[in-house]
Each structure stands twice: as structure tokens, then as C-alpha cells.
Coordinates of all heavy atoms in Angstrom, one line a residue:
M220 N -5.0 -8.9 26.0 CA -4.4 -10.2 26.3 C -5.5 -11.3 26.1 O -6.6 -11.1 26.4 CB -4.0 -10.2 27.7 CG -3.1 -11.3 28.2 SD -1.6 -11.4 27.3 CE -1.1 -13.1 27.8
A221 N -5.0 -12.4 25.5 CA -5.9 -13.5 25.3 C -6.4 -14.2 26.5 O -5.7 -14.3 27.5 CB -5.2 -14.5 24.4
N222 N -7.6 -14.7 26.5 CA -8.2 -15.5 27.6 C -8.0 -17.0 27.4 O -8.0 -17.8 28.3 CB -9.6 -15.2 27.8 CG -9.9 -13.8 28.3 OD1 -9.0 -13.2 29.0 ND2 -11.0 -13.2 27.8
I223 N -7.8 -17.4 26.2 CA -7.8 -18.9 25.8 C -6.4 -19.4 26.1 O -5.4 -18.7 25.7 CB -8.2 -19.1 24.3 CG1 -9.6 -18.5 24.1 CG2 -8.1 -20.5 23.9 CD1 -10.0 -18.4 22.7
K224 N -6.3 -20.5 26.8 CA -5.0 -21.1 27.2 C -4.1 -21.3 26.0 O -2.9 -21.0 26.0 CB -5.2 -22.3 28.0 CG -4.0 -22.8 28.7 CD -4.3 -24.0 29.6 CE -3.0 -24.4 30.3 NZ -3.3 -25.5 31.2
S225 N -4.6 -21.9 25.0 CA -3.8 -22.3 23.8 C -3.3 -21.0 23.1 O -2.2 -21.0 22.6 CB -4.6 -23.1 22.8 OG -5.7 -22.4 22.3
Q226 N -4.1 -20.0 23.1 CA -3.7 -18.7 22.5 C -2.6 -18.0 23.3 O -1.6 -17.4 22.7 CB -4.9 -17.8 22.3 CG -4.5 -16.6 21.4 CD -4.0 -16.9 20.0 OE1 -4.5 -17.9 19.5 NE2 -3.1 -16.1 19.5
I227 N -2.7 -18.1 24.6 CA -1.6 -17.6 25.5 C -0.3 -18.3 25.2 O 0.8 -17.7 25.1 CB -2.0 -17.7 27.0 CG1 -3.2 -16.8 27.3 CG2 -0.8 -17.4 27.9 CD1 -3.8 -17.1 28.6
K228 N -0.4 -19.7 25.0 CA 0.8 -20.4 24.7 C 1.4 -20.0 23.3 O 2.6 -19.9 23.1 CB 0.5 -21.9 24.7 CG 0.3 -22.5 26.1 CD 0.0 -24.0 25.9 CE -0.4 -24.6 27.2 NZ -0.8 -26.0 27.1
R229 N 0.5 -19.8 22.4 CA 0.9 -19.5 21.0 C 1.6 -18.1 21.0 O 2.5 -17.9 20.3 CB -0.4 -19.4 20.2 CG -0.1 -19.3 18.7 CD 0.5 -20.6 18.2 NE 1.1 -20.3 16.9 CZ 2.2 -20.9 16.4 NH1 2.8 -21.9 17.1 NH2 2.7 -20.6 15.2
I230 N 1.1 -17.2 21.8 CA 1.8 -15.8 21.9 C 3.2 -16.0 22.4 O 4.1 -15.4 21.9 CB 0.9 -14.9 22.8 CG1 -0.4 -14.5 22.2 CG2 1.8 -13.7 23.2 CD1 -1.4 -13.8 23.1
G231 N 3.4 -16.9 23.4 CA 4.7 -17.2 23.9 C 5.7 -17.8 22.8 O 6.8 -17.4 22.7
T232 N 5.1 -18.7 22.1 CA 6.0 -19.4 21.0 C 6.3 -18.4 19.9 O 7.4 -18.4 19.4 CB 5.4 -20.7 20.5 OG1 4.1 -20.4 20.0 CG2 5.3 -21.7 21.5
N233 N 5.3 -17.6 19.6 CA 5.5 -16.5 18.5 C 6.6 -15.6 19.0 O 7.5 -15.2 18.2 CB 4.3 -15.8 18.3 CG 3.3 -16.6 17.5 OD1 3.6 -17.6 16.9 ND2 2.0 -16.1 17.4
K234 N 6.6 -15.2 20.3 CA 7.7 -14.3 20.8 C 9.1 -15.0 20.7 O 10.0 -14.3 20.3 CB 7.3 -13.9 22.2 CG 8.3 -13.1 23.0 CD 8.2 -11.6 22.6 CE 9.1 -10.7 23.4 NZ 10.2 -10.3 22.7
K235 N 9.1 -16.2 21.1 CA 10.4 -16.9 21.0 C 10.9 -17.0 19.5 O 12.1 -16.7 19.3 CB 10.3 -18.4 21.5 CG 10.3 -18.6 23.0 CD 10.3 -20.1 23.3 CE 9.8 -20.3 24.7 NZ 9.6 -21.7 25.0
A236 N 10.0 -17.3 18.6 CA 10.4 -17.3 17.2 C 10.8 -16.0 16.7 O 11.8 -15.8 15.9 CB 9.2 -17.9 16.4
Q237 N 10.1 -14.9 17.1 CA 10.4 -13.6 16.7 C 11.8 -13.2 17.2 O 12.6 -12.6 16.4 CB 9.4 -12.6 17.3 CG 9.6 -11.1 16.9 CD 8.6 -10.2 17.6 OE1 8.1 -10.5 18.6 NE2 8.4 -9.1 17.0
D238 N 12.1 -13.5 18.4 CA 13.5 -13.2 19.0 C 14.6 -14.0 18.2 O 15.6 -13.4 17.9 CB 13.5 -13.6 20.5 CG 12.7 -12.7 21.3 OD1 12.3 -11.6 20.8 OD2 12.4 -13.0 22.4
R239 N 14.3 -15.3 17.9 CA 15.2 -16.1 17.2 C 15.5 -15.5 15.8 O 16.6 -15.4 15.3 CB 14.7 -17.5 17.1 CG 15.8 -18.5 17.0 CD 15.3 -20.0 17.2 NE 13.9 -20.2 17.1 CZ 13.1 -20.6 18.0 NH1 13.6 -20.8 19.3 NH2 11.8 -20.9 17.8
N240 N 14.4 -15.1 15.1 CA 14.4 -14.6 13.8 C 15.2 -13.3 13.7 O 16.0 -13.0 12.8 CB 13.1 -14.4 13.2 CG 12.4 -15.7 12.9 OD1 13.0 -16.7 12.9 ND2 11.1 -15.6 12.6
R241 N 15.0 -12.4 14.8 CA 15.7 -11.2 14.9 C 17.2 -11.4 15.0 O 18.0 -10.7 14.3 CB 15.2 -10.4 16.0 CG 15.7 -8.9 16.1 CD 15.2 -8.1 17.3 NE 13.8 -7.9 17.2 CZ 12.9 -8.2 18.2 NH1 13.3 -8.8 19.3 NH2 11.6 -7.9 18.0
Q242 N 17.6 -12.4 15.8 CA 19.0 -12.7 16.0 C 19.6 -13.2 14.7 O 20.7 -12.7 14.3 CB 19.1 -13.7 17.1 CG 20.6 -14.1 17.4 CD 20.6 -15.2 18.5 OE1 19.7 -15.9 18.7 NE2 21.8 -15.3 19.0
V243 N 18.9 -14.0 14.0 CA 19.4 -14.6 12.7 C 19.6 -13.5 11.7 O 20.6 -13.4 11.0 CB 18.6 -15.7 12.2 CG1 19.0 -16.2 10.8 CG2 18.6 -16.9 13.1
K244 N 18.6 -12.7 11.5 CA 18.6 -11.5 10.6 C 19.8 -10.6 10.9 O 20.4 -10.1 10.0 CB 17.3 -10.8 10.6 CG 16.2 -11.4 9.8 CD 15.0 -10.5 9.8 CE 13.8 -11.2 9.0 NZ 12.7 -10.3 9.0
S245 N 20.0 -10.3 12.2 CA 21.1 -9.5 12.6 C 22.4 -10.0 12.2 O 23.3 -9.3 11.7 CB 21.0 -9.2 14.1 OG 22.1 -8.4 14.5
Q246 N 22.6 -11.4 12.4 CA 23.9 -12.0 12.0 C 24.1 -11.9 10.5 O 25.2 -11.7 10.0 CB 23.8 -13.5 12.4 CG 24.0 -13.7 13.9 CD 23.8 -15.1 14.3 OE1 23.4 -15.9 13.5 NE2 24.1 -15.4 15.6
V247 N 23.0 -12.1 9.7 CA 23.1 -12.0 8.3 C 23.6 -10.5 7.9 O 24.4 -10.4 7.0 CB 21.8 -12.3 7.6 CG1 21.8 -12.0 6.1 CG2 21.5 -13.8 7.8
K248 N 22.8 -9.6 8.4 CA 23.1 -8.2 8.1 C 24.6 -7.8 8.5 O 25.3 -7.1 7.7 CB 22.2 -7.2 8.8 CG 20.8 -7.2 8.3 CD 20.0 -6.3 9.1 CE 18.5 -6.4 8.7 NZ 17.7 -5.5 9.6
T249 N 25.1 -8.3 9.6 CA 26.4 -8.0 10.1 C 27.4 -8.6 9.1 O 28.4 -8.0 8.7 CB 26.7 -8.5 11.5 OG1 25.7 -8.0 12.4 CG2 28.1 -8.2 12.0
A250 N 27.2 -9.8 8.7 CA 28.1 -10.5 7.8 C 28.2 -9.8 6.4 O 29.3 -9.6 5.8 CB 27.7 -12.0 7.6
I251 N 27.0 -9.4 5.9 CA 27.0 -8.7 4.6 C 27.6 -7.3 4.8 O 28.4 -6.9 3.9 CB 25.5 -8.6 4.1 CG1 25.0 -9.9 3.7 CG2 25.4 -7.6 3.0 CD1 23.5 -10.0 3.4
R252 N 27.4 -6.6 5.9 CA 28.0 -5.3 6.1 C 29.5 -5.4 6.1 O 30.2 -4.6 5.5 CB 27.5 -4.8 7.4 CG 27.7 -3.3 7.6 CD 27.1 -2.7 8.9 NE 25.7 -2.9 9.0 CZ 25.1 -3.7 10.0 NH1 25.8 -4.2 10.9 NH2 23.8 -3.8 10.0
A253 N 30.1 -6.4 6.8 CA 31.5 -6.6 6.8 C 32.1 -6.9 5.4 O 33.1 -6.4 5.1 CB 31.9 -7.8 7.7
T254 N 31.3 -7.7 4.6 CA 31.8 -7.9 3.2 C 31.8 -6.7 2.4 O 32.7 -6.4 1.6 CB 30.9 -9.0 2.6 OG1 30.8 -10.2 3.5 CG2 31.4 -9.5 1.3
R255 N 30.7 -5.9 2.5 CA 30.6 -4.7 1.8 C 31.7 -3.7 2.2 O 32.2 -2.9 1.3 CB 29.2 -4.0 1.9 CG 28.2 -4.8 1.2 CD 26.9 -4.0 0.9 NE 26.0 -4.8 0.1 CZ 24.7 -4.9 0.5 NH1 24.3 -4.4 1.5 NH2 23.9 -5.6 -0.3
A256 N 32.0 -3.6 3.4 CA 33.1 -2.7 3.9 C 34.5 -3.2 3.3 O 35.2 -2.3 2.9 CB 33.2 -2.8 5.4
A257 N 34.7 -4.5 3.2 CA 36.0 -4.9 2.6 C 36.0 -4.6 1.1 O 37.0 -4.3 0.6 CB 36.1 -6.4 2.8
I258 N 34.8 -4.7 0.5 CA 34.7 -4.4 -1.0 C 35.0 -2.9 -1.2 O 35.8 -2.6 -2.1 CB 33.4 -4.8 -1.5 CG1 33.2 -6.3 -1.6 CG2 33.2 -4.2 -2.9 CD1 31.7 -6.7 -1.8
K259 N 34.4 -2.1 -0.3 CA 34.6 -0.7 -0.4 C 36.1 -0.3 -0.2 O 36.6 0.6 -0.9 CB 33.8 0.0 0.6 CG 33.6 1.5 0.3 CD 32.5 2.1 1.2 CE 32.3 3.6 0.8 NZ 31.3 4.2 1.7
A260 N 36.8 -1.0 0.7 CA 38.2 -0.8 1.0 C 39.1 -1.3 -0.1 O 40.3 -1.0 -0.2 CB 38.5 -1.4 2.4
G261 N 38.6 -2.2 -0.9 CA 39.3 -2.8 -2.0 C 40.2 -4.0 -1.6 O 41.1 -4.4 -2.3
D262 N 39.9 -4.5 -0.4 CA 40.7 -5.6 0.1 C 40.1 -7.0 -0.3 O 39.1 -7.4 0.3 CB 40.7 -5.5 1.7 CG 41.7 -6.5 2.3 OD1 42.3 -7.3 1.6 OD2 41.7 -6.5 3.5
K263 N 40.6 -7.6 -1.3 CA 40.0 -8.8 -1.9 C 40.1 -10.0 -1.0 O 39.1 -10.7 -0.9 CB 40.7 -9.1 -3.3 CG 40.0 -10.2 -4.0 CD 40.3 -10.3 -5.4 CE 39.5 -11.4 -6.1 NZ 39.3 -11.2 -7.5
D264 N 41.2 -10.2 -0.3 CA 41.3 -11.3 0.6 C 40.3 -11.3 1.7 O 39.6 -12.3 2.0 CB 42.7 -11.4 1.2 CG 43.8 -11.7 0.1 OD1 43.4 -12.3 -1.0 OD2 45.0 -11.3 0.2
T265 N 40.2 -10.2 2.3 CA 39.2 -10.0 3.4 C 37.8 -10.1 2.9 O 36.9 -10.8 3.5 CB 39.3 -8.7 4.1 OG1 40.7 -8.5 4.5 CG2 38.5 -8.6 5.3
A266 N 37.5 -9.6 1.7 CA 36.2 -9.6 1.1 C 35.8 -11.1 0.8 O 34.7 -11.5 1.0 CB 36.2 -8.8 -0.2
L267 N 36.8 -11.9 0.3 CA 36.5 -13.3 0.0 C 36.2 -14.1 1.3 O 35.3 -14.9 1.3 CB 37.7 -14.0 -0.7 CG 37.8 -13.7 -2.2 CD1 39.1 -14.1 -2.7 CD2 36.7 -14.3 -3.0
A268 N 37.0 -13.8 2.3 CA 36.7 -14.5 3.6 C 35.4 -14.1 4.2 O 34.6 -15.0 4.7 CB 37.9 -14.1 4.6
N269 N 35.1 -12.8 4.1 CA 33.8 -12.4 4.6 C 32.6 -12.8 3.7 O 31.5 -13.1 4.3 CB 33.7 -10.8 4.7 CG 34.6 -10.3 5.8 OD1 34.9 -11.0 6.7 ND2 35.0 -9.0 5.7
L270 N 32.9 -13.0 2.5 CA 31.8 -13.5 1.6 C 31.5 -15.0 2.0 O 30.3 -15.3 2.0 CB 32.3 -13.5 0.1 CG 31.4 -14.2 -0.9 CD1 30.1 -13.4 -1.0 CD2 32.1 -14.2 -2.3
K271 N 32.4 -15.8 2.4 CA 32.2 -17.1 2.8 C 31.3 -17.1 4.0 O 30.3 -17.9 4.1 CB 33.5 -17.8 3.2 CG 34.0 -18.8 2.2 CD 35.2 -19.5 2.7 CE 35.7 -20.5 1.7 NZ 36.9 -21.2 2.1
V272 N 31.6 -16.3 5.0 CA 30.8 -16.2 6.2 C 29.4 -15.7 5.9 O 28.4 -16.2 6.4 CB 31.5 -15.2 7.2 CG1 30.6 -15.0 8.4 CG2 32.8 -15.8 7.6
A273 N 29.3 -14.7 5.0 CA 27.9 -14.2 4.6 C 27.1 -15.2 3.9 O 25.9 -15.4 4.2 CB 28.1 -12.9 3.8
A274 N 27.7 -15.9 3.0 CA 27.0 -17.0 2.3 C 26.5 -18.1 3.2 O 25.4 -18.5 3.1 CB 27.9 -17.6 1.2
K275 N 27.4 -18.4 4.2 CA 27.0 -19.4 5.1 C 25.8 -19.0 6.0 O 24.8 -19.7 6.2 CB 28.1 -19.8 6.0 CG 27.9 -21.0 7.0 CD 29.1 -21.4 7.7 CE 28.9 -22.5 8.6 NZ 30.1 -23.0 9.3
S276 N 25.8 -17.7 6.4 CA 24.8 -17.2 7.3 C 23.5 -17.0 6.5 O 22.4 -17.3 7.0 CB 25.2 -15.9 7.9 OG 25.4 -14.9 7.0
L277 N 23.6 -16.7 5.2 CA 22.4 -16.6 4.4 C 21.8 -17.9 4.2 O 20.5 -18.1 4.2 CB 22.7 -15.9 3.0 CG 22.9 -14.4 3.0 CD1 23.6 -13.9 1.8 CD2 21.5 -13.8 3.1
D278 N 22.6 -19.0 3.9 CA 22.1 -20.3 3.8 C 21.4 -20.8 5.0 O 20.3 -21.5 5.0 CB 23.2 -21.3 3.4 CG 23.6 -21.1 1.9 OD1 22.9 -20.6 1.1 OD2 24.8 -21.5 1.6
K279 N 22.0 -20.5 6.2 CA 21.3 -20.9 7.4 C 20.0 -20.2 7.6 O 19.1 -20.9 8.1 CB 22.3 -20.6 8.6 CG 23.4 -21.6 8.9 CD 24.1 -21.3 10.2 CE 25.0 -22.4 10.6 NZ 25.6 -22.1 11.9
A280 N 20.0 -18.9 7.3 CA 18.7 -18.2 7.5 C 17.7 -18.8 6.6 O 16.5 -18.9 7.0 CB 18.9 -16.7 7.2
A281 N 18.0 -19.1 5.4 CA 17.1 -19.7 4.4 C 16.6 -21.1 4.9 O 15.5 -21.4 4.8 CB 17.7 -19.8 3.0
G282 N 17.6 -21.8 5.5 CA 17.2 -23.2 6.0 C 16.2 -23.1 7.2 O 15.4 -24.0 7.3
K283 N 16.4 -22.1 8.0 CA 15.5 -21.9 9.1 C 14.2 -21.3 8.8 O 13.3 -21.2 9.6 CB 16.2 -21.1 10.2 CG 17.4 -21.8 10.9 CD 18.1 -20.9 11.9 CE 19.3 -21.6 12.5 NZ 19.9 -20.9 13.6
G284 N 14.1 -20.8 7.6 CA 12.8 -20.2 7.1 C 12.7 -18.7 7.5 O 11.7 -18.1 7.4
V285 N 13.9 -18.1 7.9 CA 13.8 -16.7 8.3 C 13.8 -15.9 7.0 O 13.1 -14.9 6.9 CB 15.1 -16.4 9.1 CG1 15.1 -14.9 9.4 CG2 15.0 -17.1 10.4
L286 N 14.6 -16.3 6.0 CA 14.6 -15.7 4.7 C 14.1 -16.7 3.7 O 14.3 -17.9 3.9 CB 16.0 -15.3 4.2 CG 16.6 -14.1 4.9 CD1 18.0 -13.9 4.4 CD2 15.8 -12.8 4.7
H287 N 13.4 -16.3 2.6 CA 13.0 -17.2 1.5 C 14.3 -17.6 0.8 O 15.2 -16.8 0.7 CB 12.1 -16.5 0.6 CG 11.4 -17.4 -0.4 ND1 12.0 -17.8 -1.6 CD2 10.2 -18.0 -0.4 CE1 11.2 -18.5 -2.2 NE2 10.1 -18.7 -1.5
K288 N 14.3 -18.8 0.3 CA 15.5 -19.4 -0.3 C 15.9 -18.6 -1.5 O 17.1 -18.4 -1.8 CB 15.3 -20.8 -0.7 CG 14.3 -21.1 -1.7 CD 14.2 -22.6 -2.0 CE 13.2 -22.8 -3.2 NZ 13.4 -24.1 -3.8
N289 N 15.0 -18.0 -2.3 CA 15.3 -17.2 -3.5 C 15.9 -15.9 -3.1 O 16.8 -15.4 -3.7 CB 14.1 -17.0 -4.4 CG 13.6 -18.3 -5.1 OD1 14.3 -19.3 -4.9 ND2 12.5 -18.2 -5.7
Q290 N 15.4 -15.3 -2.0 CA 15.9 -14.0 -1.5 C 17.4 -14.2 -1.0 O 18.2 -13.4 -1.3 CB 15.0 -13.6 -0.3 CG 15.6 -12.3 0.4 CD 15.4 -11.1 -0.3 OE1 15.6 -11.0 -1.6 NE2 15.0 -10.0 0.4
A291 N 17.6 -15.3 -0.3 CA 19.0 -15.6 0.1 C 19.9 -15.8 -1.1 O 21.0 -15.3 -1.1 CB 19.0 -16.9 1.0
A292 N 19.4 -16.5 -2.1 CA 20.2 -16.8 -3.3 C 20.5 -15.4 -4.0 O 21.6 -15.2 -4.5 CB 19.5 -17.7 -4.2
N293 N 19.5 -14.6 -4.1 CA 19.7 -13.3 -4.8 C 20.8 -12.4 -4.1 O 21.6 -11.8 -4.7 CB 18.4 -12.5 -4.9 CG 17.4 -13.1 -5.9 OD1 17.9 -13.8 -6.8 ND2 16.2 -12.8 -5.7
R294 N 20.7 -12.4 -2.7 CA 21.6 -11.7 -2.0 C 23.1 -12.2 -2.1 O 24.0 -11.4 -2.2 CB 21.2 -11.6 -0.5 CG 20.0 -10.8 -0.2 CD 19.8 -10.7 1.3 NE 18.5 -10.1 1.6 CZ 18.1 -9.7 2.8 NH1 18.9 -10.0 3.8 NH2 17.0 -9.2 3.1
K295 N 23.2 -13.5 -2.1 CA 24.5 -14.2 -2.2 C 25.1 -13.8 -3.6 O 26.3 -13.5 -3.8 CB 24.4 -15.7 -2.1 CG 24.4 -16.2 -0.7 CD 24.2 -17.6 -0.5 CE 24.6 -18.6 -1.5 NZ 24.3 -20.0 -1.3
S296 N 24.2 -13.9 -4.6 CA 24.7 -13.6 -6.0 C 25.1 -12.2 -6.1 O 26.2 -11.9 -6.7 CB 23.5 -13.9 -6.9 OG 23.8 -13.5 -8.3
A297 N 24.4 -11.3 -5.6 CA 24.7 -9.9 -5.7 C 26.0 -9.5 -5.0 O 26.9 -8.8 -5.6 CB 23.6 -9.0 -5.1
I298 N 26.3 -10.1 -3.9 CA 27.5 -9.8 -3.1 C 28.7 -10.5 -3.7 O 29.8 -9.9 -3.8 CB 27.3 -10.0 -1.6 CG1 28.3 -9.2 -0.8 CG2 27.4 -11.5 -1.3 CD1 27.9 -9.0 0.6
A299 N 28.4 -11.7 -4.3 CA 29.5 -12.4 -4.9 C 30.0 -11.7 -6.2 O 31.2 -11.7 -6.5 CB 29.1 -13.9 -5.3
K300 N 29.0 -11.1 -6.9 CA 29.3 -10.4 -8.1 C 30.2 -9.2 -7.8 O 31.1 -8.9 -8.5 CB 28.0 -9.9 -8.8 CG 28.2 -9.5 -10.2 CD 26.9 -8.9 -10.8 CE 25.8 -9.9 -10.9 NZ 24.6 -9.4 -11.5
Q301 N 29.9 -8.5 -6.6 CA 30.7 -7.4 -6.3 C 32.1 -7.8 -5.9 O 33.1 -7.1 -6.2 CB 30.1 -6.7 -5.1 CG 28.8 -6.0 -5.4 CD 28.0 -5.4 -4.2 OE1 28.4 -5.7 -3.1 NE2 27.0 -4.7 -4.4
V302 N 32.3 -8.9 -5.2 CA 33.6 -9.4 -4.8 C 34.4 -9.8 -6.0 O 35.6 -9.5 -6.2 CB 33.5 -10.6 -3.8 CG1 34.8 -11.2 -3.6 CG2 32.9 -10.1 -2.5
A303 N 33.7 -10.4 -7.0 CA 34.4 -10.9 -8.2 C 34.9 -9.7 -9.0 O 35.9 -9.8 -9.8 CB 33.5 -11.8 -9.0
A304 N 34.2 -8.6 -8.9 CA 34.6 -7.4 -9.7 C 35.8 -6.7 -9.1 O 36.4 -5.9 -9.8 CB 33.4 -6.4 -9.7
L305 N 36.3 -7.1 -7.9 CA 37.5 -6.5 -7.4 C 38.8 -6.9 -8.2 O 38.9 -8.0 -8.6 CB 37.7 -7.0 -5.9 CG 36.8 -6.3 -4.9 CD1 37.1 -6.9 -3.5 CD2 37.0 -4.8 -4.8

């Protein structure tokens, strides 16, 4: 454990950011998982609706700095391609 006051504060803020990032990543994964499940089932309407939610959550994650913007774009592109193939 750190003895320096500023480092103790920094550990606390890092923990808050880590928790927030974990929550955002979980939401992204859940949205993508739902879209992939709809794709696997062959349900185009549900897949399109889930794709919208997934794209929005990926954009939010990229905006908050949880994911790199190119990584988010690559994930959106890949899942959109799968939906379009239905």
C-alpha cells in the first residue's frame, strides 16, 4: 500500500475507472452477443434491432476511451457485414 497521499488518491480513482470500464465493456459484449445470437437464429429483424444497440454501445465505449475508435469501427463493420449477409 502506498504511503504518499496523492498516490493513495490515485489508486482510488484508478479503481473507479476500472469499475466503470468493466461495466461499459460488459454492456458492449452483451449487445454483440445478442446480435450474434439473432444472426445464428436467422432472425433478420431482431438482428437489425440488436445491431443498432451494439453499434451505439460500441460508439459510446470508443467515446469514453474504453475501446480504441478503430477497434470499435472494426467490430461494428464485422457484425454489420454478418447482418447484411442474412
Side-chain angles (χ1 to χ4, degrees):
M220 187 66 192
N222 291 328
I223 300 165
K224 189 173 184 180
S225 61
Q226 190 59 34
I227 292 169
K228 289 180 184 177
R229 191 69 195 149
I230 289 168
T232 56
N233 286 345
K234 176 78 173 104
K235 279 186 200 171
Q237 182 184 23
D238 292 342
R239 207 168 21 244
N240 290 347
R241 186 180 295 128
Q242 183 182 17
V243 171
K244 280 184 182 180
S245 177
Q246 287 173 347
V247 168
K248 287 179 188 177
T249 302
I251 290 174
R252 197 177 301 121
T254 308
R255 287 199 177 130
I258 292 167
K259 195 171 185 179
D262 188 3
K263 187 163 185 156
D264 294 333
T265 308
L267 282 170
N269 289 340
L270 175 62
K271 257 187 181 177
V272 174
K275 187 174 180 179
S276 64
L277 281 164
D278 286 337
K279 275 188 173 182
K283 291 179 181 184
V285 176
L286 289 177
H287 192 276
K288 64 177 185 165
N289 291 354
Q290 172 74 318
N293 287 339
R294 290 188 189 188
K295 278 175 30 181
S296 171
I298 203 160
K300 196 185 296 184
Q301 291 173 352
V302 170
L305 283 178

